[in-house]
Amino acid sequence: MPATGKGEKSEPTRSISPLPYTVEMTATAEGVYADLYRKCKAAEKLGHSESVHCTTFHMVQEAVKKIIPHDPIDKRYALRGHLSNIFRLRKGRLRILWIASSAMRRICILFISETVRKEGDPNDPYEIFQGQLESGVFDEALGHVRVKRTNAKRK
């Protein structure tokens, strides 16, 4: 490692490719994104550009257009266990889950949820996502990005 000037070693940096990722969404995620957009535009039309609808939409938009594509396979976002090939970003009460292929330079946003995270609750976003994943809703997207679904189910 290169020296920093006082005999200390600098931390290694991770090289991020300058090639952009293509971002796609499943119909499920696209529906939520479109609904958030409509609510934001309706609020703006009424002069409420600082409403919770606009704040929420802008948080999701920033995540989808900037944060996730910057480094979609960052280990900070990686889920473990039965969801090990999937990444997630928390923005307030929102959960955005995606898969990515660095070889194909593709990202597929699988799921966007506004529901409150409460473990064990049937409306917990991870419970909803897990149900959809097990039912095969995302199989086409997983195949399209060439990401394997782990077969382990939750106990």
Side-chain angles (χ1 to χ4, degrees), residues 68 72-75 77-89 96-102 106-111 126 129-130 133 138-139 141-143 145-152:
I68 295 170
I73 55 173
D74 187 325
K75 291 184 192 294
Y77 304 132
L79 294 174
R80 296 182 303 244
H82 61 283
L83 299 176
S84 63
N85 291 333
I86 299 169
F87 299 86
R88 71 92 180 90
L89 179 68
I96 302 171
L97 291 97
W98 72 92
I99 53 175
S101 169
S102 57
R106 292 180 107 149
I107 299 166
C108 184
I109 308 294
L110 299 172
F111 185 77
Y126 296 110
F129 177 75
Q130 181 67 32
L133 184 66
F138 303 117
D139 286 354
L142 292 166
V145 181
R146 297 185 188 146
V147 172
K148 292 182 181 178
R149 179 167 74 113
T150 57
N151 293 327

Side-chain angles (χ1 to χ4, degrees), residues 58-73:
H58 292 299
M59 281 191 325
V60 172
Q61 184 181 42
E62 178 186 30
V64 169
K65 293 187 182 259
K66 293 180 182 172
I67 297 170
I68 295 170
H70 176 70
D71 190 7
I73 55 173

